[in-house]
Amino acid sequence: MLSVEQASFSVKETIILDNCNAVFPVGSLTVVLGPNGAGKSTLLQLACGEIQPNHGSVTFHKKSLSKWDIKEKSRSMGVLAQTSSLSFAFTVEEVVKLG
């Protein structure tokens, strides 16, 4: 299970997420809904370890996400970004295999 607990994230003095909690159970589909600027993308960036919370924690299988070895984490977690700019002509199948 992937858990975000009391996570806060800000850029300079702008608070993006404040005391956010979310649980992403393994093997399930979770939908994150909200208006533009609500912090959905920031929550997902925290959940996959792309950025670190200013406060709070993100755990994967009860272990802090920041303590996972990158190879170990990649065996259990994959992320497909919302947008991507590839400078090579990859097929969809080849991009998925990269994950």
Side-chain angles (χ1 to χ4, degrees):
M1 176 173 6
L2 179 65
S3 298
V4 178
E5 299 173 3
Q6 299 179 347
S8 297
F9 185 79
S10 59
V11 177
K12 297 185 182 181
E13 294 182 17
T14 303
I15 298 171
I16 311 295
L17 286 177
D18 189 24
N19 199 29
C20 181
N21 295 294
V23 176
F24 303 92
V26 172
S28 68
L29 175 67
T30 303
V31 177
V32 180
L33 294 172
N36 291 345
K40 301 178 300 293
S41 295
T42 302
L43 171 61
L44 296 176
Q45 288 175 322
L46 286 171
C48 71
E50 187 175 324
I51 59 175
Q52 300 298 314
N54 300 113
H55 302 285
S57 64
V58 180
T59 57
F60 185 49
H61 296 303
K62 299 182 181 181
K63 180 179 175 182
S64 175
L65 195 60
S66 63
K67 297 201 186 289
W68 280 77
D69 174 74
I70 191 73
K71 288 183 181 181
E72 181 184 24
K73 186 171 79 169
S74 69
R75 289 185 190 109
S76 300
M77 177 190 290
V79 177
L80 181 59
Q82 184 176 359
T83 58
S84 176
S85 58
L86 296 174
S87 57
F88 301 99
F90 288 115
T91 66
V92 172
E93 182 180 2
E94 291 168 333
V95 172
V96 170
K97 286 180 178 179
L98 289 172

